[in-house]
Amino acid sequence: MQNIVEFIKEEMSNRGMTYDLLAERVGTTRQNLWTKLNKNTRPNFETVRKILAALDYDLVVEKKKGAADPGEKEIADFFASTDEEQVSYECVQALFSTMGYSLELKTHKNEENVKQGIDNLSLIHISEPTRLRCIS
């Protein structure tokens, strides 16, 4: 199973995207982004959400069979607290899994183009603009 850092690097490569360009979209420096993707094997959830948003992906919470529908406000509050506490992406993914939810990667691109290579990912991301819409 591909981890999130490997997925981000592969997506950058597929798009011919440099660290400079992605860093500009994320709002950080090239060196900071490179460090997070190459030296920090467990980036925090907030960082992953920002990078995925810059790549035009949203992470959405999907309920598993038998789980209650996740409330938008509760999810937004949960995301805010993970950002504040600098919780790793992997930890958030595991927490959602134990609560009966999965984190699914959605894109603004053609679903068929994205689906190839990420079928085994279990991800979540709600981009900052989407999150703000959900809580307003």
Side-chain angles (χ1 to χ4, degrees):
M1 181 169 132
Q2 186 180 37
N3 75 32
I4 192 66
V5 172
E6 290 169 350
F7 172 77
I8 290 168
K9 288 179 176 181
E10 184 176 306
E11 189 66 18
M12 287 175 64
S13 176
N14 290 344
R15 295 180 185 202
M17 184 176 281
T18 64
Y19 281 95
D20 288 319
L21 180 58
L22 184 56
E24 182 179 322
R25 289 184 179 181
V26 172
T28 190
T29 65
R30 179 195 55 78
Q31 183 61 37
N32 187 27
L33 180 65
W34 186 91
T35 299
K36 289 180 185 303
L37 295 179
N38 291 286
K39 289 191 175 184
N40 183 359
T41 58
R42 293 184 55 170
N44 68 51
F45 189 64
E46 179 181 26
T47 298
V48 170
R49 289 188 309 114
K50 286 180 180 178
I51 293 169
L52 290 173
L55 292 169
D56 297 319
Y57 285 96
D58 289 326
L59 284 171
V60 295
V61 177
E62 297 286 338
K63 72 176 187 169
K64 293 182 181 176
K65 198 172 192 174
D69 283 325
E72 290 178 6
K73 182 181 181 338
E74 289 79 10
I75 291 171
D77 290 346
F78 181 83
F79 285 178
S81 66
T82 61
D83 292 351
E84 186 176 309
E85 298 297 326
Q86 300 293 302
V87 178
S88 77
Y89 173 84
E90 292 169 347
C91 181
V92 171
Q93 188 178 25
L95 284 170
F96 270 108
S97 180
T98 61
M99 293 187 299
Y101 303 104
S102 66
L103 306 176
E104 301 295 328
L105 190 59
K106 302 292 181 183
T107 184
H108 303 281
K109 300 187 312 180
N110 180 331
E111 289 292 332
E112 288 305 310
N113 293 339
V114 175
K115 195 168 173 96
Q116 184 180 13
I118 63 168
D119 284 339
N120 294 329
L121 287 176
S122 177
L123 308 174
I124 180 165
H125 180 73
I126 296 179
S127 67
E128 192 66 20
T130 301
R131 193 174 109 196
L132 291 174
R133 273 197 318 268
C134 290
I135 61 176
S136 59

